[in-house]
Amino acid sequence: MLRCLRLTTAGETHGPAVVAVLEGIPAGLALEPDDVARELARRQGGHGRGGRMKIEKDEGEIFGGVRLGETLGSPVAVRIPNRDFRNWGVAMAVEAPEVDDDELLRRAYLPRPGHADLAGMLKYGRKDARDILERASARETAARVAAGAVAKRLLGEFGVRVESHVVSIGPVELPPELPLPDDLLSVADASPVRCIDPDATAAMVDAIDAARRAGDSLGGVFEVVARGVPVGLGSHVTWETRLGGRIGGAMMSIHAMKGVEIGMGFEAARLRGSDVHDEIERDPARRESGGYARRRNNAGGLEGGMSTGGDIVARVAMKPLSSLRRPLDSVDTRTGEPAKAFLERSDVCSVPAAGVVGEAMMALVLADAWIEKFGGDSLAEMRSNVESYLARLGT
């Protein structure tokens, strides 16, 4: 998925910490702990989150790759401690247990439908679902958001912004054709569900509360928008360099995601070409797109696997979370007998937070394509390459 950047995450949901190591960021990029902490705090918000968010206060500790406020060109490493580990020291200990006690070690034998529990147990030959769910948990996305904060910082040096908002939660949808505000992030983040429409916000909050009372969960759809991306990121030449595929794969790698649309998406399959394709016209003022413009953006800023210079728009569908307070039917893997799935603390709805994770993944893919296109061991060298490219587009 990433070709010039390399992201490695490590850690379990109730372990000591989750860690992100991001390789490939050029030297000379201004980076402060607040850049990471701000994004991590955004990930923790949203109506419908569970009790875990009251325990954790994610900030992120940068412990590699940065000195005196600037990146060094070496891997950037960020550690995000898990405060809840203090309650899990015995169950998540590295050492072999002295006492074989299922309750003390918080073992799990009743896999949850919709979760990685059972498939992971079978694949890795583990009797205890705890060995699977600890890593399969969406807590891992905190590390991705930390890495995404670094990628956002790099893109921001060149005027690229990556933002998101919630389109729907359960049956409640944003009004169609509602224009996006210029400062999308501020408007979305001011809403408890990161929705830009006040009436839809209120209805989404009510839907989440109703699901909570029923012991159930809700999914939804969020949209990620990247603005200021110049023409020419990605390529039509080989399948793995096509930018749409890279973005789609990144979004589908997020926990609980079940679908991705670029631009008009599936709606384009129901229309004629004349109603879908974005007509082209000259616009000398649009330097970032070579002096051309599209009259609309049904393509979502991508044509032929490459950025067009328009906004890149990805819409992502998240299924309802699989940990329910009213558990579904399952099987006890010790006996093979029918049973109810075990209960693990979880959110009722985390679509607002998932949008922040989607921003991180979009930023990482675009930063990767940016480095692929413009190169440079230092930010100054990269800036020179970008200016040279834009100048050539102008001719």
Side-chain angles (χ1 to χ4, degrees):
M1 185 189 306
L2 298 180
R3 296 165 57 82
C4 296
L5 287 176
R6 177 181 172 84
L7 172 61
T8 302
T9 70
E12 285 69 46
T13 186
H14 295 111
V18 290
V19 174
V21 178
L22 183 63
E23 302 176 52
I25 294 294
L29 174 67
L31 186 66
E32 298 289 345
D34 282 351
D35 294 322
V36 175
R38 182 169 52 251
E39 294 302 308
L40 290 172
R42 294 179 62 236
R43 175 192 166 275
Q44 289 192 276
H47 191 72
R49 301 304 301 275
R52 179 73 184 269
M53 293 304 102
K54 297 178 181 178
I55 297 172
E56 304 295 349
K57 183 174 174 56
D58 294 341
E59 293 180 347
E61 303 167 355
I62 300 175
F63 66 95
V66 180
R67 178 174 179 266
L68 304 179
E70 289 190 350
T71 57
L72 304 175
S74 52
V76 177
V78 183
R79 181 179 185 270
I80 307 158
N82 293 326
R83 288 189 176 186
D84 204 20
F85 177 63
R86 60 177 176 248
N87 301 315
W88 289 76
V90 175
M92 294 303 296
V94 173
E95 302 82 10
E98 296 180 0
V99 179
D100 190 19
D101 184 306
D102 284 349
E103 185 173 348
L104 183 65
L105 299 177
R106 306 202 190 195
R107 288 174 174 148
Y109 302 104
L110 309 173
R112 294 161 293 176
H115 208 280
D117 300 344
L118 182 58
M121 293 168 74
L122 295 171
K123 173 179 171 64
Y124 288 98
R126 309 307 295 172
K127 296 179 179 179
D128 178 6
R130 178 73 51 198
D131 293 343
I132 305 304
L133 68 92
E134 283 290 325
R135 179 60 182 172
S137 164
R139 178 67 181 158
E140 183 264 350
T141 63
R144 301 200 208 184
V145 169
V150 181
K152 277 189 171 186
R153 192 71 188 82
L154 176 63
L155 294 170
E157 287 288 323
F158 301 95
V160 178
R161 292 181 294 156
V162 181
E163 305 166 315
S164 73
H165 68 109
V166 170
V167 173
S168 69
I169 288 179
V172 183
E173 297 183 354
L174 193 68
E177 306 303 325
L178 189 69
L180 297 183
D182 290 336
D183 192 359
L184 175 58
L185 218 55
S186 294
V187 177
D189 284 354
S191 161
V193 288
R194 305 198 64 251
C195 175
I196 62 174
D197 180 73
D199 292 337
T201 289
M204 288 176 185
V205 167
D206 289 345
I208 292 170
D209 290 343
R212 189 193 306 275
R213 290 191 295 270
D216 219 322
S217 62
L218 279 177
V221 175
F222 62 85
E223 185 174 79
V224 182
V225 182
R227 291 167 162 166
V229 180
V231 64
L233 296 192
S235 175
H236 67 285
V237 172
T238 55
W239 68 268
E240 72 273 15
T241 59
R242 297 178 73 92
L243 193 56
R246 293 154 77 171
I247 292 170
M251 296 302 176
M252 287 298 291
S253 77
I254 304 171
H255 306 65
M257 301 307 138
K258 285 297 185 181
V260 181
E261 293 182 323
I262 303 294
M264 184 178 278
F266 285 98
E267 181 62 22
R270 292 184 276 270
L271 302 174
R272 293 183 176 183
S274 57
D275 295 321
V276 172
H277 302 302
D278 305 324
E279 292 180 297
I280 302 168
E281 60 189 11
R282 281 289 288 162
D283 186 350
R286 292 185 58 86
R287 183 182 183 219
E288 74 282 1
S289 56
Y292 295 92
R294 304 305 197 275
R295 291 178 182 168
R296 52 194 178 187
N297 192 29
N298 289 338
L302 298 176
E303 289 181 341
M306 295 169 285
S307 59
T308 64
D311 292 351
I312 296 179
V313 182
R315 200 169 295 109
V316 189
M318 180 182 190
K319 69 177 182 179
L321 299 172
S322 51
S323 290
L324 307 180
R325 286 191 297 131
R326 294 178 61 184
L328 298 175
D329 289 342
S330 184
V331 172
D332 189 324
T333 57
R334 294 165 297 184
T335 65
E337 295 297 317
K340 291 292 183 180
F342 79 96
L343 177 63
E344 185 84 345
R345 180 179 57 200
S346 182
D347 304 331
V348 175
C349 177
S350 58
V351 177
V356 178
V357 181
E359 291 174 28
M361 297 310 296
M362 175 73 85
L364 286 163
V365 170
L366 293 182
D368 181 60
W370 193 277
I371 295 168
E372 178 182 63
K373 172 66 178 169
F374 299 115
D377 296 310
S378 69
L379 188 65
E381 184 181 1
M382 178 179 286
R383 195 182 304 282
S384 175
N385 295 342
V386 172
E387 286 300 317
S388 175
Y389 176 69
L390 294 177
R392 181 178 67 78
L393 289 179
T395 63

